[in-house]
Amino acid sequence: MTVQQGKVPGHYLRMPHVERGMAVALFGGSFNPPHAGHALVAETAMRRLRLNQLWWMVTPGNPLKDHSNLAPLEERLALSETAAEDPRMKVTAFEAAYRVRYTADTVALVQARNPGVSFVWIMGADSLRDFHKWERWQEIIRSIPIAVFDRPGATLSFLSSKVAKTFDHARIDEEDAPLLARSNPPAWTFIHGPRSPLSSTMLRRQAAKD
């Protein structure tokens, strides 16, 4: 997908600043649009994983999704800023500037540019079901710890996912979630908690009807 970077404020195209020793979550998605469910996952991650920062990474476009209804990047960034109220959450679109499309490449880039920082990937349980379809998915799991957050309708189905079965040995207890970011991958956990029924797909459908 081609991104008109001239329309995107420059600070979004730079990787957020971090310091050695920090624990930082990478929260990637199309956020088309961002909603309270995304904010709930981000807020829960900050608390349960004891993070110093969370990068709210607004992607140019998910390679696995249809882009026909994808709002402009600058619009999704502005809406994400509204949703990410905690100042420790940094809304960014650096993937557009570096022209990376796949999560494996994003993780490798972030880790290479920020030595001494402990990164953890966060995602909803609904995304875990299709995680084995992601480009180089096993490389991702072996590169960065992953926190999977409960989502409506996905609480039980994630257990039957290819990822959960393949890396069952690498699952850590939810009580140890504060240690996850500093754990050696492969390491992942499932975090239960408050769930929002909202989804970007549902919101787009409602907007189309109005």
Side-chain angles (χ1 to χ4, degrees), residues 23-25 42 45-47 49-54 88 120 122 181:
V24 180
M46 290 294 306
R47 184 178 69 256
L49 302 178
R50 296 183 187 171
L51 302 170
N52 299 110
Q53 281 188 19
L54 180 145
R88 295 172 296 173
V120 57
I122 64 176

Side-chain angles (χ1 to χ4, degrees), residues 203 205-210:
L203 292 175
R205 287 172 179 166
Q206 288 179 347
K209 291 179 181 179
D210 292 343

Side-chain angles (χ1 to χ4, degrees), residues 122-139:
I122 64 176
M123 63 166 60
D126 48 344
S127 295
L128 191 70
R129 288 180 301 207
D130 295 323
F131 191 78
H132 63 282
K133 298 178 182 178
W134 292 25
E135 187 80 8
R136 309 196 316 272
W137 66 275
Q138 293 200 31
E139 177 183 326

Side-chain angles (χ1 to χ4, degrees), residues 104-173:
D105 296 321
T106 296
V107 170
L109 173 67
V110 166
Q111 291 177 330
R113 290 182 62 88
N114 299 281
V117 177
S118 299
F119 288 99
V120 57
W121 186 267
I122 64 176
M123 63 166 60
D126 48 344
S127 295
L128 191 70
R129 288 180 301 207
D130 295 323
F131 191 78
H132 63 282
K133 298 178 182 178
W134 292 25
E135 187 80 8
R136 309 196 316 272
W137 66 275
Q138 293 200 31
E139 177 183 326
I140 298 170
I141 295 178
R142 291 191 172 98
S143 299
I144 187 171
I146 297 175
V148 182
F149 287 81
D150 204 358
R151 288 283 292 152
T155 305
L156 298 178
S157 62
F158 91 94
L159 288 171
S160 61
S161 71
K162 186 172 183 178
V163 176
K165 289 181 177 179
T166 304
F167 287 91
D168 179 66
H169 65 282
R171 183 179 179 183
I172 71 171
D173 194 280

Side-chain angles (χ1 to χ4, degrees), residues 12 16 25-31 33-43 53-59 76-77 79-86 88-95:
Y12 286 125
L26 305 179
F27 185 28
S30 301
F31 300 111
H35 52 71
H38 294 132
L40 182 60
V41 167
E43 290 162 4
Q53 281 188 19
L54 180 145
W55 293 4
W56 190 297
M57 303 189 308
V58 185
T59 64
R76 290 180 284 126
L77 283 164
L79 291 172
S80 294
E81 281 284 11
T82 301
E85 296 181 347
D86 191 320
R88 295 172 296 173
M89 297 181 192
K90 311 298 181 181
V91 176
T92 179
F94 71 86
E95 289 172 299

